[in-house]
Amino acid sequence: MSDTLYAENILEHYRHPQHKHTLTDATVTHEEINASCGDKITLQLIIEEGKVADVGWEGTGCAISQASMSLLSDELMGKTEGELEQMRPSAIHDLLGIDVGLQRIKCALLSLHALKNALRTRHGKEPQTWKETLEA
Amino acid sequence: MYISAILSIEMALNLATIRRQFPILEEKVGNRPLIYLDNAATAQKPLAVLDAMRHFYLHDNANPHRGMHILAERATAALEDARASVTSFLHARHPREIVFTKNATEGINIVANGLGKKWTKGDAVVVSVLEHHSNVVPWLQLKEARGIDVEWIDVDEEGKLDLSSLDRLLKKGNVRLVSVTALSNVFGIRPPLEEIIRRAHAAGALVLVDAAQSVAHGPTDVAALNCDFLVFSGHKLYGPTGIGVLYGKESLLATLPPLLGGGMMIQQVTEQSFVPADVPARFEGGTPPVAEAVGLHAAIDWLLQFDWKDIADHERALLGLAQEELTAVPGLTILGPKDVAHRAGTICFTVDGIHPHDLTHLLGERGICLRAGHHCAQPLHARFSLPATTRLSVALYNTPDEIRSVAPAIRDVLQLLKAEN
């Protein structure tokens, strides 16, 4: 466990975010914000035959929220919707490789929150609350 | 007190002596010294305060105003001595004008609840864009409950109040209260209170002063100001958390109903009715924070051993140095007054391309404690389209070397976060 929140892999993804671009033919586009910080992420997915064929996102905010989205976007490629629905906060913690602590947990999980609600939006369901994302 | 005797023969503000009163300043973060520059959020507490509270619990603790035994007598005396100390600290006329609260927020809520009961649709409260949420939300609650209007005095880029907008609002004739900060917790600017109070009174409006930020940086004189209400929190004045003060002119306090019902705040209770106590007891429902009052008393005594001018000169020098050093950081923009003579307590800034939470987190890992966010002043941040800012705020124990460590650490963090093209 690193003694800094800003471990090299996180800084690397913050400086060079993966999949950070706009898709023109997205299956679903969904925006989420972390109101307490002003972090914002718009996630786009192209889903073909039940699998993620491409990912794109745009966002602004702190290094933790942006690096988390970058790391997650790599992970999403090729996954089935069923697999994504199973994804829990622990998956994000594993990707980040650090203990983000209570104060920054919503920064870290904004990416997952955007993913969950992108999938729900696609299926015409009500978005889930932050409580549901955090406690899953 | 022997401590003040020793200090008074030393130089004006001997920082080494002052800092010895704050063991927390010796804390380390890793192997780096802790540098505490988040004093606008809360100040650290001198040993004099901790010792006084410990002494109270060791020797005098009881429930005040509720027993005839020796400890109840001591606790009652300790509470009322603290009230007397606050009375003279604020230059109030009488201890009956001093209500002990939990904090400044509760003080404002007591006034809002009390005055609001008599207000109806069409009445208005005027606040400034500089206000902390504690001086915004209680009035918005009245807007919801009573249908009153909440009107705003605008400020310019430096945080200077547009008094012509106050005049325009006062001219409408429906303003019942002007509620304004004595020192902005974001811009570090002091609104011209005397002028605001004069104009408000001329228009038949009362004035509440939120002195939460100003109280540790200069003298507070409610008699000279002629404000109707004034609030502050003990913990920003080197005292403990859990105690604050509401000052109110006695004739006005006497017209306000209590906020909290319970013990201590009544004259008489029957099965179907109650008669509230006189001021200030009617606003102090429940067992009061006596040890905290003792701590506040000690904080006031401790602070008043220094000359306000020495404190102001020292803190202005720190802010001037900070302003100079920070201005030289690329992409850094300082908010509020450009001339440090118009500033007290606080410097807020933004840095291009860096989220304040990243900046303050990484500075925190380097031992430097600043604050990031909207500082409970969202209307002000919205007014200038600022998502969040970073704040450096000083106290009398801070040193020039501490200030000098900040800008290099910010450059260091910028280097770490910036993408290499």
Side-chain angles (χ1 to χ4, degrees):
Chain A
M1 200 58 77
S2 169
D3 60 352
T4 172
L5 192 53
Y6 295 80
E8 199 44 49
N9 70 318
I10 290 177
L11 289 173
E12 198 47 41
H13 275 268
Y14 176 62
R15 296 185 194 121
H16 305 290
Q18 304 298 300
H19 298 280
K20 190 172 179 184
H21 49 74
T22 304
L23 303 178
T24 50
D25 47 357
T27 315
V28 61
T29 298
H30 184 77
E31 180 189 288
E32 285 288 344
I33 58 165
N34 173 8
S36 56
C37 302
D39 299 336
K40 187 194 289 186
I41 281 175
T42 305
L43 177 62
Q44 296 186 302
L45 300 171
I46 295 177
I47 297 174
E48 285 168 1
E49 295 168 9
K51 281 187 180 171
V52 176
D54 204 359
V55 182
W57 62 279
E58 294 291 345
T60 54
C62 71
I64 305 302
S65 67
Q66 305 300 300
S68 164
M69 189 64 250
S70 174
L71 282 155
L72 180 62
S73 63
D74 269 348
E75 192 70 12
L76 297 180
M77 296 295 288
K79 288 264 188 334
T80 66
E81 284 193 76
E83 287 171 316
L84 298 183
E85 273 156 18
Q86 292 302 312
M87 203 171 251
R88 300 273 175 276
S90 58
I92 305 292
H93 294 144
D94 292 346
L95 285 172
L96 291 170
I98 45 149
D99 179 5
V100 291
L102 281 176
Q103 296 214 67
R104 305 298 293 274
I105 188 78
K106 284 176 84 176
C107 308
L109 296 185
L110 180 61
S111 59
L112 183 67
H113 193 55
L115 170 66
K116 294 290 178 182
N117 283 334
L119 295 174
R120 294 180 74 97
T121 302
R122 165 170 155 75
H123 294 290
K125 293 186 200 159
E126 283 290 299
Q128 69 182 39
T129 62
W130 263 107
K131 188 166 181 284
E132 288 170 288
T133 299
L134 292 167
E135 291 176 2
Chain B
M1 285 285 279
Y2 71 95
I3 293 173
S4 56
I6 291 168
L7 275 175
S8 64
I9 54 169
E10 298 213 22
M11 296 269 300
L13 294 205
N14 180 326
L15 284 185
T17 312
I18 289 171
R19 288 176 72 86
R20 274 198 291 279
Q21 272 278 303
F22 294 85
I24 199 168
L25 300 177
E26 300 300 314
E27 288 285 307
K28 294 263 189 284
V29 178
N31 55 3
R32 300 171 206 246
L34 178 96
I35 295 175
Y36 187 75
L37 292 167
D38 192 16
N39 296 287
T42 197
Q44 300 301 344
K45 324 303 173 198
L47 286 172
V49 168
L50 308 183
D51 290 348
M53 294 174 75
R54 181 177 155 88
H55 184 277
F56 173 79
Y57 278 127
L58 287 177
H59 301 288
D60 305 328
N61 180 50
N63 205 323
H65 295 295
R66 279 178 179 79
M68 298 302 140
H69 56 75
I70 179 71
L71 291 184
E73 210 162 285
R74 286 188 201 159
T76 305
L79 182 67
E80 296 313 317
D81 284 353
R83 201 186 305 276
S85 144
V86 173
T87 307
S88 82
F89 179 69
L90 294 181
H91 303 271
R93 278 154 294 258
H94 197 279
R96 284 194 296 274
E97 297 182 316
I98 304 301
V99 179
F100 283 128
T101 62
K102 180 169 71 177
N103 46 33
T105 298
E106 187 187 344
I108 296 175
N109 275 270
I110 288 172
V111 175
N113 171 71
L115 292 176
K117 290 238 157 64
K118 291 171 237 161
W119 292 344
T120 53
K121 197 168 166 53
D123 288 334
V125 168
V126 172
V127 296
S128 86
V129 176
L130 297 176
E131 301 314 311
H132 186 280
H133 293 164
S134 59
N135 195 20
V136 175
V137 178
W139 312 117
L140 292 178
Q141 287 178 302
L142 278 184
K143 179 185 162 89
E144 277 185 11
R146 311 285 302 172
I148 66 156
D149 295 330
V150 176
E151 310 268 22
W152 295 82
I153 309 171
D154 198 15
V155 299
D156 68 12
E157 296 284 323
E158 289 193 290
K160 215 190 287 167
L161 264 64
D162 172 14
L163 289 186
S164 66
S165 68
L166 172 64
D167 287 339
R168 264 196 308 281
L169 293 167
L170 289 172
K171 215 170 267 170
K172 294 206 266 179
N174 64 337
V175 176
R176 299 286 164 252
L177 178 82
V178 177
S179 197
V180 67
T181 184
L183 174 61
S184 163
N185 72 324
V186 178
F187 279 12
I189 195 170
R190 298 170 189 275
L193 290 180
E194 290 83 357
E195 192 55 32
I196 292 167
I197 291 165
R198 197 182 59 74
R199 295 186 194 194
H201 283 171
L206 300 170
V207 178
L208 183 152
V209 173
D210 174 1
Q213 288 297 327
S214 65
V215 77
H217 301 297
T220 307
D221 188 333
V222 294
L225 277 176
N226 193 26
C227 56
D228 300 289
F229 303 101
L230 180 140
V231 299
F232 71 90
S233 294
H235 70 93
K236 294 194 206 287
L237 188 68
Y238 307 98
T241 53
I243 185 143
V245 168
L246 161 63
Y247 157 83
K249 286 178 180 165
E250 191 179 356
S251 57
L252 286 168
L253 285 179
T255 66
L256 300 186
L259 175 64
L260 292 179
M264 181 104 160
M265 50 69 69
I266 46 82
Q267 279 180 32
Q268 197 188 12
V269 181
T270 68
E271 285 191 3
Q272 297 303 327
S273 66
F274 72 97
V275 180
D278 290 334
V279 295
R282 77 163 62 171
F283 303 109
E284 297 180 351
T287 297
V290 196
E292 288 75 9
V294 168
L296 177 59
H297 187 174
I300 289 171
D301 283 352
W302 183 82
L303 191 59
L304 289 184
Q305 71 184 299
F306 307 110
D307 196 286
W308 280 118
K309 187 180 176 299
D310 293 338
I311 294 174
D313 287 350
H314 172 61
E315 292 181 348
R316 191 171 303 113
L318 294 176
L319 291 174
L321 179 61
Q323 201 152 324
E324 194 182 306
E325 297 242 325
L326 291 174
T327 306
V329 175
L332 191 150
T333 306
I334 292 177
L335 308 174
K338 297 203 171 34
D339 183 352
V340 77
H342 296 140
R343 193 183 272 285
T346 285
I347 291 185
C348 260
F349 55 91
T350 58
V351 187
D352 288 348
I354 303 297
H355 195 286
H357 287 165
D358 289 332
L359 178 59
T360 53
H361 200 117
L362 285 160
L363 289 175
E365 288 180 356
R366 288 157 177 73
I368 300 173
C369 307
L370 304 186
R371 165 94 186 264
H374 49 62
H375 315 294
C376 298
Q378 284 179 357
L380 180 63
H381 281 71
R383 167 68 179 79
F384 292 101
S385 305
L386 303 165
T389 56
T390 302
R391 180 176 72 188
L392 177 160
S393 53
V394 299
L396 86 169
Y397 44 65
N398 288 125
T399 67
D401 278 348
E402 288 183 310
I403 300 292
R404 280 190 201 99
S405 72
V406 177
I410 293 176
R411 288 174 202 269
D412 194 25
V413 168
L414 290 182
Q415 198 60 40
L416 188 70
L417 288 175
K418 280 255 166 77
E420 325 83 350
N421 304 307

